[in-house]
Amino acid sequence: MRCLYIRKDSMKDTYALVIHGGAGTITRKSMSSEKEAAYRTALNTALTAGEQLLKKGAKAIDAAEAAVRVMEDSDLFNAGKGAVFTHDGTHEMDASVMDGNGRRAGAVAGITSVKNPVCLARAVMEQSEHVFLIGKGAEEYARTLDLEHAAPEYFSTEFRKAQLMRIRDTGRTQLDHTEEDHKKYGTVGAVALDTSGNLAAATSTGGITNKRFGRVGDTAVIGSGTYAENGVCAVSSTGWGEYYLRAVAAYDIAALMKYGGRSLDEACAEVLNGHIAEMGGDGGFIAVDSLGCIAMPFNTEGMYRGYAKSTGEREIAVYRK
Amino acid sequence: MRCLYIRKDSMKDTYALVIHGGAGTITRKSMSSEKEAAYRTALNTALTAGEQLLKKGAKAIDAAEAAVRVMEDSDLFNAGKGAVFTHDGTHEMDASVMDGNGRRAGAVAGITSVKNPVCLARAVMEQSEHVFLIGKGAEEYARTLDLEHAAPEYFSTEFRKAQLMRIRDTGRTQLDHTEEDHKKYGTVGAVALDTSGNLAAATSTGGITNKRFGRVGDTAVIGSGTYAENGVCAVSSTGWGEYYLRAVAAYDIAALMKYGGRSLDEACAEVLNGHIAEMGGDGGFIAVDSLGCIAMPFNTEGMYRGYAKSTGEREIAVYRK
């Protein structure tokens, strides 16, 4: 189905929200029922936080930020609390947001002490004259704002520490591994369409376990990890960041719709299973278009995901169907 | 003229190289003839460095890197030696490269001690498993390589110091200003097509005078400041970085060609005078497509620029015609 551009008055109560908590080797075999239940609960809480705002007529950017914030605050996901450890035993977090209304954007990378990196990214978008701030300078900017800070221990969990210990001595700079050392792309994200027709996207990550050298993936990069444009779509990526950067993945979906006439589904599939897969990458996307059509494609074994629509449709899912 | 996709055997000796040294308020009135001559000489040297490689059958990425390196080594341009000062009186440089052959890419931001940031970006592309490294971590990576380092004083010039002094107390975080305090986008870049049909792009900058908070513009961002894809085009941006980031400017040109059937000229004009101008931004691009067609559009008063082709055509220009 083609879902593009035209928004009718009959859509004035239409909203949609899609979230993800990362894609990767997430299989029934590798997951206890308790753990799966915990993930489902957390995803549900994030979805509700965003949906309640949309129901009240709040802006898409508010809903996307709220949903991501809940996942940052959960230690289950690799973002905010529960972020993976760097090689040096620290946390370096990246986040970005984009408001499709005016294509405004904010992004931060290498954040160590801000409780919710997604809120810092939003502040960069709305309160600074810039789009992208990194490292110590971004931290310095955060201290000029009324934002919650947190000590390094806040972000740390025993599970993530054990992950680092297992792989640090291998010398590999690796992705966020599951307990079985299979690959998993630890990112959280949300995309939303609000009742005024605005689109927005937000993405946040702790990066990859044992990372060195100030590595930044696609999550901090507008066009790769996050993109939103009213009348087209909003996209949040989760996957092997280096491939998403080279593919300019999130904007590629929008470009295929704008210039190539693809539907949201077609565009997502073409970028994920075409462009990214051909380069050797994998992962997933969540996306919503201006009519409220949604897509949650992934080519890994699972992706923590969920959506809620003004039609009452709602779903939380983890595995491939 | 449509210049797309099809490469014929008759093109086996075809190459093209385009360079820029930044766009902005560059007018005859504001420029002494000595200074103009110095710029023309530096651009000519950069063009020759890249063209000699292309003539010998070297790769596009070698030519683009070589041309940018010459401009980084010249204190006339805001990149490498001659980089502008941050608010704290330091230099924080960004650079990125992309090889259209395989869409491989490397990018660095917040670099303080590497003589040629473009060479570090290339090393990230070719020698690391990553695409994007920032800040101290990127510096740490650079120390593992056989790359030339330089002390802070190497990058500093009296001219740039005076620029900082003039605006630091205003509290404004500003673009690289000319002596008349008009805006000027200090970036250098090169795009190349080699005789094997490969496209490549490279971009480097010292950022904006008096910048704070680890601000990064489009230069370090694949898809915004730099993009290359064999069979399509190679692009290097120079302009108001925040707008180029939000527009995903460099990749937008490629997407318009790939999905929208535009020629290189049409795509550049649409992004610069359409998307970016509509948001309130300005600047320029240099670009080359897979047939050797080139474009050097800008909507500022001037842009330091030049090109050389296998046909013998060659030009250095500064002002609007």
Side-chain angles (χ1 to χ4, degrees):
Chain A
M1 182 179 51
R2 185 71 59 87
C3 278
L4 258 179
Y5 299 114
I6 308 138
R7 189 177 169 81
K8 299 194 176 132
D9 281 349
S10 61
M11 286 190 64
K12 68 181 168 43
D13 294 320
T14 300
Y15 67 77
L17 176 67
V18 194
I19 62 171
H20 73 75
T25 307
I26 306 164
T27 60
R28 282 188 180 81
K29 211 180 70 181
S30 67
M31 178 96 72
S32 70
S33 57
E34 292 75 19
K35 198 161 181 184
E36 184 183 334
Y39 272 107
R40 286 181 176 274
T41 301
L43 290 165
N44 205 45
T45 307
L47 207 51
T48 301
E51 191 183 10
Q52 280 179 340
L53 290 168
L54 292 173
K55 267 186 183 159
K56 287 192 284 190
K59 289 187 286 188
I61 187 72
D62 291 327
E65 181 191 6
V68 166
R69 192 172 174 157
V70 168
M71 289 185 280
E72 284 181 341
D73 289 344
S74 161
D75 63 6
L76 292 170
F77 304 103
N78 175 21
K81 188 175 180 61
V84 298
F85 283 87
T86 66
H87 183 77
D88 297 331
T90 63
H91 303 284
E92 289 176 2
M93 297 170 286
D94 307 331
S96 61
V97 300
M98 190 155 181
D99 187 339
N101 183 9
R103 296 168 83 179
R104 295 176 308 144
V108 291
I111 300 306
T112 60
S113 74
V114 177
K115 181 167 173 265
N116 291 103
V118 71
C119 301
L120 179 56
R122 181 154 184 200
V124 170
M125 175 174 82
E126 294 184 342
Q127 298 177 51
S128 86
E129 60 184 325
H130 299 307
V131 169
F132 194 9
L133 303 183
I134 65 171
K136 279 189 197 301
E139 296 278 335
E140 191 192 322
Y141 177 69
R143 284 192 294 273
T144 71
L145 305 169
D146 186 24
L147 271 186
E148 206 169 342
H149 285 70
E153 311 82 66
Y154 165 79
F155 302 103
S156 306
T157 61
E158 287 305 314
F159 172 65
R160 298 298 187 194
K161 190 147 205 172
Q163 284 184 329
L164 175 65
M165 292 305 137
R166 273 202 304 282
I167 71 164
R168 185 152 67 176
D169 296 334
T170 66
R172 290 179 297 170
T173 310
Q174 289 172 303
L175 296 158
D176 162 24
H177 279 221
T178 64
E179 284 171 333
E180 291 72 28
D181 269 356
H182 290 137
K183 64 187 174 180
K184 190 177 140 218
Y185 304 112
T187 318
V188 305
V191 295
L193 168 73
D194 67 30
T195 55
S196 303
N198 299 304
L199 291 163
T203 317
S204 179
T205 189
I208 53 177
T209 299
N210 198 31
K211 78 174 171 182
R212 296 180 68 181
F213 306 135
R215 179 264 188 190
V216 173
D218 61 310
T219 303
V221 174
I222 299 301
S224 294
T226 302
Y227 187 76
E229 181 175 346
N230 277 9
V232 187
C233 65
V235 179
S236 171
S237 308
T238 171
W240 194 333
E242 278 68 16
Y243 292 96
Y244 279 67
L245 284 169
R246 291 163 51 195
V248 199
Y251 183 65
D252 202 21
I253 291 172
L256 276 164
M257 294 176 70
K258 286 198 288 185
Y259 309 138
R262 266 60 148 208
S263 70
L264 185 74
D265 269 344
E266 290 166 350
C268 286
E270 199 162 326
V271 176
L272 185 61
N273 301 318
H275 308 174
I276 288 175
E278 281 159 20
M279 287 198 277
D282 61 358
F285 292 109
I286 54 169
V288 60
D289 71 16
S290 56
L291 295 184
C293 297
I294 64 157
M296 311 187 289
F298 57 98
N299 57 11
T300 52
E301 293 186 54
M303 179 166 84
Y304 300 114
R305 63 199 186 277
Y307 74 90
K309 290 184 171 193
S310 47
T311 55
E313 295 167 275
R314 184 186 175 99
E315 189 188 7
I316 302 281
V318 175
Y319 313 112
R320 217 169 248 305
K321 301 216 164 159
Chain B
M1 179 180 52
R2 187 69 62 85
C3 278
L4 260 178
Y5 298 113
I6 308 138
R7 188 174 171 82
K8 298 194 177 133
D9 280 350
S10 61
M11 287 189 63
K12 68 181 169 41
D13 294 321
T14 300
Y15 67 77
L17 175 69
V18 193
I19 62 171
H20 73 75
T25 308
I26 306 163
T27 60
R28 282 189 181 79
K29 211 179 70 181
S30 66
M31 178 95 72
S32 69
S33 57
E34 292 75 18
K35 200 162 180 184
E36 184 184 335
Y39 273 106
R40 286 181 176 274
T41 301
L43 289 166
N44 206 43
T45 307
L47 207 52
T48 301
E51 190 183 11
Q52 280 179 340
L53 289 168
L54 292 173
K55 267 187 184 161
K56 286 192 284 190
K59 290 187 286 189
I61 187 71
D62 291 327
E65 181 191 6
V68 167
R69 192 173 174 156
V70 167
M71 291 184 280
E72 284 182 339
D73 289 344
S74 162
D75 62 7
L76 292 170
F77 304 103
N78 174 21
K81 187 173 182 63
V84 298
F85 283 86
T86 66
H87 183 77
D88 297 330
T90 62
H91 303 284
E92 290 175 1
M93 298 170 285
D94 307 331
S96 61
V97 300
M98 190 156 183
D99 187 338
N101 183 10
R103 296 167 82 180
R104 294 177 307 145
V108 291
I111 301 305
T112 60
S113 75
V114 176
K115 182 169 174 262
N116 292 102
V118 71
C119 301
L120 178 56
R122 180 154 185 199
V124 170
M125 173 173 84
E126 294 185 341
Q127 297 177 52
S128 87
E129 60 185 326
H130 300 307
V131 168
F132 194 9
L133 304 182
I134 64 171
K136 278 188 195 305
E139 296 277 336
E140 190 193 321
Y141 177 68
R143 283 192 295 276
T144 71
L145 304 170
D146 185 25
L147 271 185
E148 207 168 341
H149 285 70
E153 311 82 64
Y154 166 78
F155 301 103
S156 307
T157 61
E158 286 307 314
F159 172 66
R160 298 297 187 195
K161 191 147 207 171
Q163 284 184 329
L164 175 65
M165 293 304 139
R166 274 201 304 280
I167 71 164
R168 184 154 66 176
D169 296 334
T170 66
R172 291 179 296 170
T173 308
Q174 289 172 302
L175 296 158
D176 161 24
H177 278 222
T178 64
E179 284 172 333
E180 291 72 29
D181 268 359
H182 291 137
K183 66 187 174 182
K184 190 177 141 218
Y185 304 112
T187 318
V188 304
V191 295
L193 168 72
D194 68 29
T195 54
S196 303
N198 299 303
L199 291 163
T203 317
S204 180
T205 189
I208 54 178
T209 299
N210 199 32
K211 77 173 171 181
R212 296 181 68 182
F213 304 135
R215 179 265 189 188
V216 173
D218 61 309
T219 303
V221 174
I222 299 302
S224 295
T226 301
Y227 187 75
E229 182 175 346
N230 277 10
V232 187
C233 65
V235 179
S236 170
S237 308
T238 171
W240 196 332
E242 277 70 16
Y243 292 95
Y244 280 67
L245 284 170
R246 291 163 52 198
V248 199
Y251 184 65
D252 202 20
I253 292 172
L256 277 163
M257 294 176 70
K258 284 197 290 184
Y259 309 139
R262 266 65 146 200
S263 71
L264 185 75
D265 269 344
E266 291 165 352
C268 286
E270 200 162 326
V271 176
L272 185 62
N273 302 317
H275 308 174
I276 288 175
E278 280 158 20
M279 287 198 277
D282 61 358
F285 292 109
I286 53 168
V288 59
D289 71 15
S290 56
L291 295 185
C293 297
I294 64 157
M296 310 186 291
F298 57 98
N299 58 9
T300 52
E301 294 187 55
M303 179 167 82
Y304 301 114
R305 63 200 187 276
Y307 73 90
K309 289 183 170 193
S310 46
T311 55
E313 294 167 274
R314 186 187 175 98
E315 189 187 7
I316 303 281
V318 175
Y319 313 112
R320 216 170 250 306
K321 300 219 166 159

